[in-house]
Amino acid sequence: MTHKIAIIGASGYTGAELIRLIAGHPNMEIAALVANSKAGQTMDSVFPHLRHLDLPPLVTLSEVDFSQMDLCFCALPHKTSQEVIRDLPRGVRVVDLSADFRLEDPAVYEKWYGNPHAAIERQAEAVYGLSEFNRDAIKDATLVAGTGCNAATGQYILRPLIAQGVIGLDDIILDMKCAVSGAGRSLKEGLLHAELSEGYNAYSVGGVHRHLGEFDQEFSKLAGRDVRIQFTPHLIPANRGILATAYVSGNAQDVYDTLAQAYATEEFIQVLPMGETPSTHHVRGSNYVHIGVCADRIENRAIVIAVLDNLTKGSSGQALQNANLMLGEEEHTGLRLVPCFP
Amino acid sequence: MTHKIAIIGASGYTGAELIRLIAGHPNMEIAALVANSKAGQTMDSVFPHLRHLDLPPLVTLSEVDFSQMDLCFCALPHKTSQEVIRDLPRGVRVVDLSADFRLEDPAVYEKWYGNPHAAIERQAEAVYGLSEFNRDAIKDATLVAGTGCNAATGQYILRPLIAQGVIGLDDIILDMKCAVSGAGRSLKEGLLHAELSEGYNAYSVGGVHRHLGEFDQEFSKLAGRDVRIQFTPHLIPANRGILATAYVSGNAQDVYDTLAQAYATEEFIQVLPMGETPSTHHVRGSNYVHIGVCADRIENRAIVIAVLDNLTKGSSGQALQNANLMLGEEEHTGLRLVPCFP
Amino acid sequence: MTHKIAIIGASGYTGAELIRLIAGHPNMEIAALVANSKAGQTMDSVFPHLRHLDLPPLVTLSEVDFSQMDLCFCALPHKTSQEVIRDLPRGVRVVDLSADFRLEDPAVYEKWYGNPHAAIERQAEAVYGLSEFNRDAIKDATLVAGTGCNAATGQYILRPLIAQGVIGLDDIILDMKCAVSGAGRSLKEGLLHAELSEGYNAYSVGGVHRHLGEFDQEFSKLAGRDVRIQFTPHLIPANRGILATAYVSGNAQDVYDTLAQAYATEEFIQVLPMGETPSTHHVRGSNYVHIGVCADRIENRAIVIAVLDNLTKGSSGQALQNANLMLGEEEHTGLRLVPCFP
Amino acid sequence: MTHKIAIIGASGYTGAELIRLIAGHPNMEIAALVANSKAGQTMDSVFPHLRHLDLPPLVTLSEVDFSQMDLCFCALPHKTSQEVIRDLPRGVRVVDLSADFRLEDPAVYEKWYGNPHAAIERQAEAVYGLSEFNRDAIKDATLVAGTGCNAATGQYILRPLIAQGVIGLDDIILDMKCAVSGAGRSLKEGLLHAELSEGYNAYSVGGVHRHLGEFDQEFSKLAGRDVRIQFTPHLIPANRGILATAYVSGNAQDVYDTLAQAYATEEFIQVLPMGETPSTHHVRGSNYVHIGVCADRIENRAIVIAVLDNLTKGSSGQALQNANLMLGEEEHTGLRLVPCFP
């Protein structure tokens, strides 16, 4: 059976990435592509790399009959996403790639994002979409909130460690290195090739990055107490990839064993042999996560490093993985693309 | 039916690219990986991006029983390739990715490559592997010689134009821009990131690049007379991609019509609307070729630009396309990967 | 004696490059920095790499008393530049980096740039600023029109060859590879790191690039007849550098000898030994031009390749070289920065 | 007075960077260039970007009369450097860029570098060359040991903080992001453009990087007790630059004030306004260090970020700064090059 799929926000990078992945999915048909600002254009004029695909033209939201859709991906900016999803017919399954339904408490949402929550009634039914940790709820969900790309990377490291109590909770540091596509297709001086290539810098330093809202929520729930981590993202001159370096207190071998066991049967999460470290090169364009653990020379200190592709496993791949769960497909369908190296 | 496949020279970039593509092929099984210098190692220690695949270990040539193989890809350097293929059992189908069987005349081979041809008896049966132009012969071949990546790019532009007589034959210029993976995994100062990134240069200037041997052979055959083109490659700081800018004399509309008609039913060759020009960004990691045609302000002068990914359509993708033909598979199987952008 | 210098358009790349160079000039003082849109800001907030310099704040045009200035660099976009320079006091020497005074015939200007010439009275006194070819006129000039960066690169190759009559005039092709800073700090999707890095493409194909206006004017004057060349620029993923590959008919040794002789005493123009080819890597951040000549295998065909840094020799370095001439300084003062490699 | 300068190890990146800087020094003359493996070649064949300079040819060590030299830079690999410097005439001043004389205790040297110290007698006279902290000793020194590039970056952050006692000593973390030229011109697969660009990874994780020897020595001396920090370097796809992110406990304002005061009169060390963070883009090709301080949302936690150019301030610029001190020149001579951006 072929599922009819709509993508709202099809003219951004995550929209294009969804199309790239779905094109290889045997049981999905892209039935509608919504991009209000570029409605009327063909997809190949917006993304020429999709030229050979037989895709519907870009349309406005109001032109789509969502009741005919089996599932809808929403790849809009936050705030807009809430307003759009609020007004969709209730029957259609939705995977939201924005931040709008990730935070359970609307007050916390407003604190981090600055605007009041515009769809509180739908927030109640939203399921947090980190596939490996929330499968059962996702299968039954009508609205899944995809995690942030940084938030996903950090959680793949820290969730099992916090849940099993093998690390200290009060001195966790995540130093993150992020490729530029995470910033989207927005026109800012700092994202120009001439400004960004050949150098790098930190940003949102000191505990102000919005993905901390997710870390706080999820880690505190797991620990049964408030957990506040330090998190510093850095912008790196590459297009795809996130590398998170976690500094934790705890026995490195216990850390390793906990992660190895947690992901032993997870197809997309690869724990490297003890002492090896991963590279973003080796997950590029794919849905895989590589995790490495090293002991420090200082006793009871461990370093855990994880990498993933922010556009794939960090957003659109994760979204498709969740959609597969919601639609009763094999979870991995369309997602076994081998990383593209070199 | 699953075909048993061997890859000789599995530790180079084209070997890794073959594995990336074959991993998505429903009817091929990688049964042997040969890499003499790294025999005994696992593939994921050589290419960590393949870690999640269940691949056989790297072995030496003598450890493989080639009589059990349905098809063998040979991704060795030239000269070595001739010696290895010469000694393979005659029953096994071979797709060679090197230059060793591309030139029909062993004297011409020796002129361009410097060493005497070491497998003249097999040269006679070799079929030139530019899939779109040689399908029938490839289907029946036991030995297919994959074209050079530059040679392929230039031929996609020029073959139909020469065959149809719509351009002059004595003033053809190919100015080519080549990404670095075409140079392979060889350790040379000029290929270091610190030396190569942020700048660019021409190389093999003046008619000395070896791919001219292929151009001379193929274009002269098509024209029924000697054709000698000018060809200047440039090394660009990117990993994948070739862009060929062809300067020809002739009516631009005739040029366009000829190419549009030649490729009207070719899945992998996309001719853009008249006046549009392609970018290597939009074929990255894929088997597609994009071709654009522009008229110059000077009468009777046209510019034709083609792009492809040198590791995919320029070598390993082309090789798999040929293997599909030889094994009776659909030609496109495993090759519809969407380009990876951004 | 210290010359008081104003820079109009100080918030763009060529403005910043002027400051970088002038900071090392012993006899120039930056007395005013104009940037209407960022007036009131400090220069280090706009360009943090200039933080350690003691620079005046950015001001609007009307805040500057130009009668106190010895020389004014105008680094504005074309059209705006004409309007500003038209209204400057007539005593102040001006070096314009825009296209606004390069074309002698206002009708030709309007043809290429689309707007009527707004300062025809000043056009009459403008001197074309390719320093090496126009020294005497530049020394006495009050208004110098800096050449386009592509136009400069092409002329360093072709001017001596056309002037000496050693090449054919009807089949000249310039295939040019241009780094991205030439596009300036403008916010366009195609200039984003995620869109531009890792790939490349041609643009303005077929004889529509505006720098052709300069080529036509200068080459026709030199030849004493109309000369129309083919010129195709390509955008390369690097920040600085232009490489021009010229295809010409003529004896390669004559071509070489002509260039070697033309530039024998020119400090900034380095002709490489016959058969060697240059790289943009080796002129990065400097005022040097490297030129190489190769014979093709085809008789009477030569390839000449030149490289320069578009922001330095292609615009701001050239501008400073001209200012030195106008102010009676040694031509090379402040311009002997060694290229920055790697 | 012009000082006669020899550079031993002139064919590597730090050798080339020394030449780039010295070319702008009014009182230094490059009198000898030593590169045993490339002796007999001209410098422009090894580094074409130096083509326009009038440099002596590369020679072997034994061809140089060091008694005629005022100062000698030694830019050799460690171990070789000790052997060469041991055998130089005692009168000649030496600035060593290698690790061979940085560690005061030969046993500690052997522990980190694996080979016994080969010049213990000269170690006794070596002065640690972090210019800003050791000026007086450097002025009188005959042998100065340049610091490691990572070691320099970390110390610019941490020395004042440890000396003033404003941070905790037992939980210091340095997460470092390093450009590739720090690895030198060595031929390794991982340094190829195709392997390194577009991705990134940590290396020497867990307290095994050799620069920890310097950190341990210097920080313990400052603190008057053993100090052991965590230090994780990451390889970033850029050619120049180091960014160190330091996580420390302490009051962020005290941290800021301490650094601002420590560097108030230091020309090359720029402390940004509180809350701003630096970028490697803005020190590229220069001798400047930019430092930024941010408070974390977690009480008593501060993040300090420093950037420098590893080839300039991290090695060759620092070396020239030390040479200026040793020769009685102004410390900044030849070192005020403005960063090259974009």
Side-chain angles (χ1 to χ4, degrees):
Chain A
M1 186 193 121
T2 297
H3 312 286
K4 291 172 85 77
I5 304 291
I7 299 174
I8 306 175
S11 62
Y13 292 150
T14 52
E17 184 77 350
L18 281 167
I19 295 171
R20 182 173 80 95
L21 297 172
I22 294 173
H25 195 296
N27 302 325
M28 287 188 179
E29 176 205 342
I30 296 176
L33 294 173
V34 177
N36 279 354
S37 66
K38 305 202 174 178
Q41 298 186 32
T42 60
M43 199 61 192
D44 64 289
S45 69
V46 177
F47 284 117
H49 70 292
L50 303 176
R51 170 182 298 277
H52 63 283
L53 296 173
D54 184 23
L55 295 169
L58 295 171
V59 296
T60 61
L61 199 60
S62 60
E63 293 177 77
V64 180
D65 179 358
F66 286 98
S67 69
Q68 300 300 309
M69 301 295 152
D70 294 300
L71 187 139
C72 172
F73 293 101
C74 191
L76 294 170
H78 70 88
K79 188 164 182 295
T80 308
S81 197
Q82 280 180 347
E83 295 160 3
V84 165
I85 289 174
R86 182 190 57 203
D87 299 337
L88 287 178
R90 296 303 286 266
V92 61
R93 292 178 193 85
V94 178
V95 178
D96 184 30
L97 284 76
S98 86
D100 270 355
F101 295 96
R102 294 173 189 161
L103 299 176
E104 298 169 2
D105 181 344
V108 172
Y109 175 82
E110 185 168 352
K111 177 192 143 200
W112 284 104
Y113 289 91
N115 55 290
H117 200 294
I120 293 177
E121 67 287 5
R122 297 224 56 176
Q123 181 64 56
E125 67 187 81
V127 171
Y128 191 66
L130 200 65
S131 322
E132 285 78 4
F133 294 96
N134 239 356
R135 270 191 189 98
D136 291 340
I138 293 167
K139 281 179 185 165
D140 297 332
T142 50
L143 171 56
V144 169
T147 69
C149 52
N150 297 309
T153 318
Q155 289 181 73
Y156 283 122
I157 294 175
L158 290 169
R159 287 187 80 110
L161 305 181
I162 293 174
Q164 297 301 317
V166 295
I167 59 170
L169 297 177
D170 296 320
D171 59 355
I172 298 169
I173 293 175
L174 274 182
D175 189 280
M176 214 165 280
K177 294 85 178 169
C178 309
V180 63
S181 62
R185 215 175 192 181
S186 45
L187 294 177
K188 297 179 189 162
E189 265 183 13
L191 302 180
L192 293 174
H193 187 279
E195 310 262 332
L196 188 102
S197 67
E198 308 178 23
Y200 35 99
N201 57 274
Y203 63 98
S204 298
V205 180
V208 300
H209 193 287
R210 287 160 163 174
H211 287 183
L212 278 167
E214 287 175 70
F215 285 135
D216 291 353
Q217 168 181 289
E218 295 299 310
F219 296 155
S220 298
K221 276 200 294 186
L222 277 172
R225 50 157 280 200
D226 257 20
V227 177
R228 294 287 175 271
I229 69 165
Q230 283 193 278
F231 162 45
T232 311
H234 300 74
L235 186 59
I236 303 295
N239 287 340
R240 288 170 175 254
I242 294 181
L243 182 147
T245 309
Y247 296 91
V248 294
S249 57
N251 178 281
Q253 189 63 50
D254 291 348
V255 165
Y256 182 79
D257 292 343
T258 302
L259 291 168
Q261 187 177 340
Y263 298 123
T265 60
E266 288 295 345
E267 169 167 6
F268 292 120
I269 320 291
Q270 305 272 317
V271 179
L272 279 55
M274 181 76 183
E276 290 189 17
T277 55
S279 168
T280 63
H281 290 102
H282 302 137
V283 294
R284 183 181 173 81
S286 84
N287 206 49
Y288 295 92
V289 180
H290 288 189
I291 301 178
V293 179
C294 291
D296 196 78
R297 60 171 183 164
I298 297 174
E299 204 181 356
N300 206 44
R301 298 288 302 166
I303 297 126
V304 190
I305 302 176
V307 296
L308 54 73
D309 183 318
N310 56 298
L311 284 182
T312 318
K313 187 59 172 163
S315 61
S316 300
Q318 182 199 86
L320 180 55
Q321 195 173 345
N322 289 332
N324 281 336
L325 288 167
M326 295 164 84
L327 293 167
E329 293 285 326
E330 293 288 324
E331 189 172 331
H332 60 73
T333 306
L335 289 168
R336 285 179 163 164
L337 291 179
V338 178
C340 191
F341 176 86
Chain B
M1 186 193 122
T2 296
H3 312 287
K4 293 173 84 76
I5 304 292
I7 299 175
I8 305 175
S11 63
Y13 293 149
T14 52
E17 184 77 351
L18 281 167
I19 294 172
R20 182 173 81 93
L21 297 172
I22 293 172
H25 196 296
N27 302 325
M28 287 189 180
E29 176 206 342
I30 296 177
L33 293 174
V34 176
N36 279 354
S37 66
K38 304 202 175 180
Q41 299 186 31
T42 60
M43 199 62 191
D44 64 290
S45 68
V46 176
F47 284 117
H49 70 292
L50 303 176
R51 171 183 298 279
H52 64 283
L53 296 173
D54 185 24
L55 294 170
L58 296 171
V59 297
T60 61
L61 199 60
S62 60
E63 294 177 75
V64 179
D65 179 358
F66 285 97
S67 70
Q68 300 299 310
M69 302 294 152
D70 294 300
L71 187 139
C72 172
F73 292 101
C74 192
L76 295 170
H78 70 88
K79 188 163 184 296
T80 307
S81 197
Q82 280 179 347
E83 295 160 2
V84 165
I85 290 174
R86 181 191 58 203
D87 297 337
L88 288 178
R90 295 305 285 267
V92 61
R93 293 178 193 87
V94 178
V95 178
D96 184 29
L97 283 78
S98 87
D100 270 354
F101 295 96
R102 295 171 189 163
L103 299 176
E104 298 169 2
D105 181 343
V108 173
Y109 174 83
E110 183 167 353
K111 176 191 145 202
W112 284 104
Y113 290 90
N115 55 290
H117 201 294
I120 293 178
E121 67 286 7
R122 298 223 55 176
Q123 182 63 56
E125 67 188 83
V127 171
Y128 191 67
L130 200 65
S131 323
E132 285 79 3
F133 294 96
N134 239 355
R135 269 191 190 99
D136 291 341
I138 292 167
K139 281 178 186 166
D140 297 332
T142 50
L143 171 55
V144 169
T147 68
C149 51
N150 296 309
T153 318
Q155 289 181 75
Y156 283 123
I157 294 175
L158 291 169
R159 287 186 80 110
L161 305 181
I162 293 174
Q164 296 300 318
V166 295
I167 60 170
L169 298 177
D170 296 319
D171 57 357
I172 299 169
I173 293 176
L174 276 183
D175 188 281
M176 216 165 279
K177 295 86 178 169
C178 308
V180 63
S181 63
R185 213 175 193 181
S186 45
L187 295 178
K188 296 179 190 163
E189 266 184 12
L191 301 180
L192 294 174
H193 187 280
E195 310 263 330
L196 187 102
S197 66
E198 308 177 21
Y200 35 100
N201 56 273
Y203 63 98
S204 298
V205 181
V208 299
H209 193 287
R210 287 161 164 174
H211 287 182
L212 278 167
E214 287 175 71
F215 285 135
D216 291 353
Q217 168 181 290
E218 296 299 311
F219 295 155
S220 297
K221 275 200 295 185
L222 277 172
R225 50 157 278 200
D226 256 18
V227 177
R228 294 286 174 272
I229 69 167
Q230 283 192 279
F231 161 46
T232 311
H234 300 75
L235 186 59
I236 303 294
N239 287 339
R240 286 170 176 256
I242 294 180
L243 183 148
T245 309
Y247 297 91
V248 295
S249 58
N251 179 281
Q253 189 64 49
D254 291 347
V255 165
Y256 181 80
D257 293 342
T258 302
L259 291 169
Q261 186 177 340
Y263 298 124
T265 60
E266 288 295 344
E267 170 168 5
F268 292 119
I269 320 291
Q270 305 272 317
V271 179
L272 279 56
M274 181 76 184
E276 290 189 18
T277 55
S279 168
T280 63
H281 290 101
H282 301 136
V283 294
R284 182 181 173 82
S286 85
N287 205 51
Y288 296 91
V289 180
H290 288 188
I291 301 178
V293 179
C294 292
D296 196 80
R297 61 172 183 163
I298 298 174
E299 204 180 357
N300 207 43
R301 298 289 301 168
I303 297 127
V304 190
I305 301 177
V307 296
L308 54 73
D309 183 318
N310 55 298
L311 285 181
T312 318
K313 188 59 172 164
S315 60
S316 300
Q318 182 199 87
L320 180 55
Q321 195 172 345
N322 288 333
N324 281 335
L325 288 166
M326 295 164 84
L327 293 167
E329 295 285 326
E330 293 288 323
E331 189 172 332
H332 60 73
T333 307
L335 290 168
R336 285 178 163 166
L337 291 179
V338 178
C340 191
F341 175 87
Chain C
M1 185 193 122
T2 297
H3 311 287
K4 291 171 85 77
I5 304 292
I7 299 174
I8 306 176
S11 62
Y13 293 149
T14 53
E17 184 77 350
L18 280 166
I19 295 171
R20 182 173 81 95
L21 298 171
I22 293 173
H25 196 295
N27 302 324
M28 286 188 180
E29 175 205 343
I30 297 176
L33 294 174
V34 177
N36 279 354
S37 67
K38 305 203 173 178
Q41 300 186 30
T42 60
M43 198 61 191
D44 64 290
S45 69
V46 177
F47 284 117
H49 70 291
L50 303 175
R51 170 182 298 277
H52 63 283
L53 296 173
D54 185 23
L55 294 170
L58 296 170
V59 296
T60 61
L61 199 61
S62 60
E63 293 177 77
V64 179
D65 179 358
F66 285 99
S67 70
Q68 300 300 309
M69 302 294 151
D70 294 301
L71 187 139
C72 172
F73 292 102
C74 192
L76 295 170
H78 70 89
K79 187 163 184 296
T80 308
S81 197
Q82 280 180 347
E83 294 160 3
V84 165
I85 289 173
R86 181 189 59 202
D87 298 337
L88 287 178
R90 295 304 286 264
V92 61
R93 293 178 192 85
V94 177
V95 179
D96 184 30
L97 284 77
S98 86
D100 270 355
F101 295 97
R102 294 172 189 162
L103 299 176
E104 298 168 2
D105 182 343
V108 173
Y109 174 83
E110 185 169 350
K111 178 192 144 200
W112 284 104
Y113 289 91
N115 55 289
H117 200 294
I120 293 178
E121 67 287 4
R122 298 224 56 176
Q123 181 64 56
E125 66 186 84
V127 172
Y128 190 68
L130 200 66
S131 322
E132 285 78 4
F133 294 96
N134 240 354
R135 270 192 189 97
D136 292 340
I138 292 167
K139 281 178 185 164
D140 298 330
T142 50
L143 171 55
V144 170
T147 67
C149 52
N150 297 311
T153 317
Q155 289 181 72
Y156 283 123
I157 294 175
L158 291 169
R159 287 186 80 110
L161 305 181
I162 293 174
Q164 296 301 318
V166 295
I167 59 170
L169 298 176
D170 296 320
D171 58 356
I172 299 169
I173 292 175
L174 275 183
D175 188 280
M176 215 165 280
K177 294 85 178 169
C178 308
V180 64
S181 62
R185 215 176 191 180
S186 45
L187 296 177
K188 296 179 190 163
E189 265 182 14
L191 301 180
L192 294 174
H193 187 280
E195 310 262 331
L196 187 101
S197 66
E198 308 177 22
Y200 35 101
N201 56 274
Y203 63 99
S204 297
V205 180
V208 299
H209 193 286
R210 287 159 163 176
H211 287 182
L212 277 167
E214 289 176 68
F215 285 135
D216 291 353
Q217 169 181 289
E218 296 299 311
F219 295 154
S220 297
K221 276 201 293 186
L222 277 171
R225 49 156 279 199
D226 257 19
V227 176
R228 294 287 176 271
I229 68 166
Q230 283 191 278
F231 162 46
T232 311
H234 300 74
L235 186 58
I236 303 294
N239 286 339
R240 288 170 174 256
I242 295 181
L243 183 148
T245 309
Y247 296 90
V248 295
S249 57
N251 179 280
Q253 189 64 50
D254 292 347
V255 165
Y256 182 80
D257 293 343
T258 301
L259 290 168
Q261 187 177 338
Y263 298 122
T265 61
E266 288 295 346
E267 170 168 4
F268 292 120
I269 319 291
Q270 305 272 317
V271 179
L272 279 55
M274 181 74 183
E276 290 189 17
T277 55
S279 168
T280 63
H281 290 101
H282 301 137
V283 295
R284 183 180 172 82
S286 85
N287 206 50
Y288 296 92
V289 179
H290 288 188
I291 301 178
V293 180
C294 292
D296 196 79
R297 61 171 183 165
I298 298 174
E299 205 180 355
N300 207 45
R301 297 289 302 167
I303 297 127
V304 190
I305 302 177
V307 296
L308 53 73
D309 182 319
N310 57 299
L311 284 182
T312 318
K313 188 58 172 165
S315 62
S316 300
Q318 181 199 87
L320 179 56
Q321 196 173 345
N322 289 332
N324 281 335
L325 287 166
M326 296 164 84
L327 293 167
E329 295 285 327
E330 293 287 326
E331 189 172 330
H332 60 73
T333 307
L335 289 168
R336 285 177 163 166
L337 292 179
V338 178
C340 192
F341 175 86
Chain D
M1 187 193 122
T2 296
H3 312 287
K4 293 172 83 78
I5 304 293
I7 299 174
I8 306 175
S11 62
Y13 293 150
T14 53
E17 184 76 351
L18 281 166
I19 295 171
R20 182 173 80 93
L21 298 172
I22 293 172
H25 195 296
N27 302 325
M28 286 188 180
E29 175 205 342
I30 296 176
L33 293 173
V34 176
N36 280 354
S37 66
K38 304 202 174 178
Q41 298 187 31
T42 60
M43 199 60 192
D44 65 289
S45 69
V46 176
F47 284 117
H49 70 292
L50 304 175
R51 168 182 300 276
H52 63 283
L53 296 173
D54 184 24
L55 294 171
L58 295 171
V59 297
T60 61
L61 198 61
S62 59
E63 294 178 75
V64 180
D65 180 358
F66 285 98
S67 69
Q68 299 300 309
M69 301 294 152
D70 293 301
L71 188 140
C72 172
F73 293 102
C74 191
L76 294 170
H78 71 88
K79 187 162 185 292
T80 307
S81 197
Q82 280 180 347
E83 296 160 2
V84 165
I85 290 174
R86 182 190 58 203
D87 298 337
L88 288 179
R90 295 304 284 266
V92 63
R93 293 178 192 85
V94 176
V95 178
D96 183 30
L97 285 77
S98 86
D100 270 355
F101 295 96
R102 294 171 190 163
L103 299 176
E104 299 170 2
D105 182 344
V108 172
Y109 174 83
E110 184 168 352
K111 177 192 144 199
W112 284 103
Y113 289 91
N115 54 291
H117 200 294
I120 293 178
E121 66 288 3
R122 297 224 57 177
Q123 181 63 55
E125 67 186 83
V127 171
Y128 191 67
L130 201 65
S131 322
E132 285 78 4
F133 293 97
N134 239 355
R135 271 191 187 97
D136 292 340
I138 292 167
K139 280 178 185 164
D140 297 333
T142 50
L143 171 56
V144 169
T147 68
C149 52
N150 296 309
T153 317
Q155 289 182 73
Y156 283 122
I157 294 175
L158 291 169
R159 286 187 80 111
L161 305 181
I162 293 174
Q164 296 301 317
V166 296
I167 59 170
L169 298 177
D170 296 319
D171 58 356
I172 298 169
I173 293 175
L174 275 183
D175 188 281
M176 215 164 279
K177 295 85 179 169
C178 308
V180 63
S181 63
R185 215 176 192 181
S186 45
L187 295 177
K188 296 178 189 162
E189 265 183 13
L191 302 179
L192 293 174
H193 187 280
E195 309 262 331
L196 187 101
S197 68
E198 307 178 22
Y200 35 101
N201 57 274
Y203 63 98
S204 298
V205 180
V208 300
H209 193 286
R210 288 160 163 175
H211 287 183
L212 278 167
E214 288 176 70
F215 286 135
D216 291 353
Q217 168 180 290
E218 296 299 311
F219 295 155
S220 297
K221 276 200 293 185
L222 277 171
R225 50 156 279 199
D226 257 19
V227 176
R228 295 286 176 273
I229 69 167
Q230 283 192 278
F231 162 46
T232 311
H234 300 74
L235 187 58
I236 303 294
N239 287 339
R240 287 169 175 255
I242 294 181
L243 183 147
T245 309
Y247 296 91
V248 295
S249 58
N251 178 281
Q253 188 64 50
D254 291 347
V255 165
Y256 182 80
D257 293 343
T258 301
L259 290 169
Q261 187 177 338
Y263 298 123
T265 60
E266 287 296 345
E267 170 167 4
F268 292 120
I269 320 291
Q270 306 272 317
V271 179
L272 279 55
M274 181 74 184
E276 289 189 16
T277 54
S279 167
T280 64
H281 290 101
H282 301 136
V283 295
R284 182 179 173 85
S286 85
N287 206 50
Y288 295 92
V289 179
H290 287 188
I291 301 178
V293 179
C294 292
D296 196 79
R297 61 172 183 163
I298 298 175
E299 205 180 355
N300 206 44
R301 297 289 301 167
I303 297 127
V304 190
I305 301 176
V307 296
L308 55 72
D309 182 318
N310 56 299
L311 284 182
T312 318
K313 187 59 172 165
S315 61
S316 300
Q318 182 200 85
L320 180 55
Q321 195 172 345
N322 289 334
N324 281 336
L325 288 166
M326 295 164 84
L327 293 167
E329 294 285 327
E330 293 287 326
E331 190 172 330
H332 60 72
T333 306
L335 290 168
R336 285 177 162 165
L337 292 179
V338 178
C340 192
F341 175 86

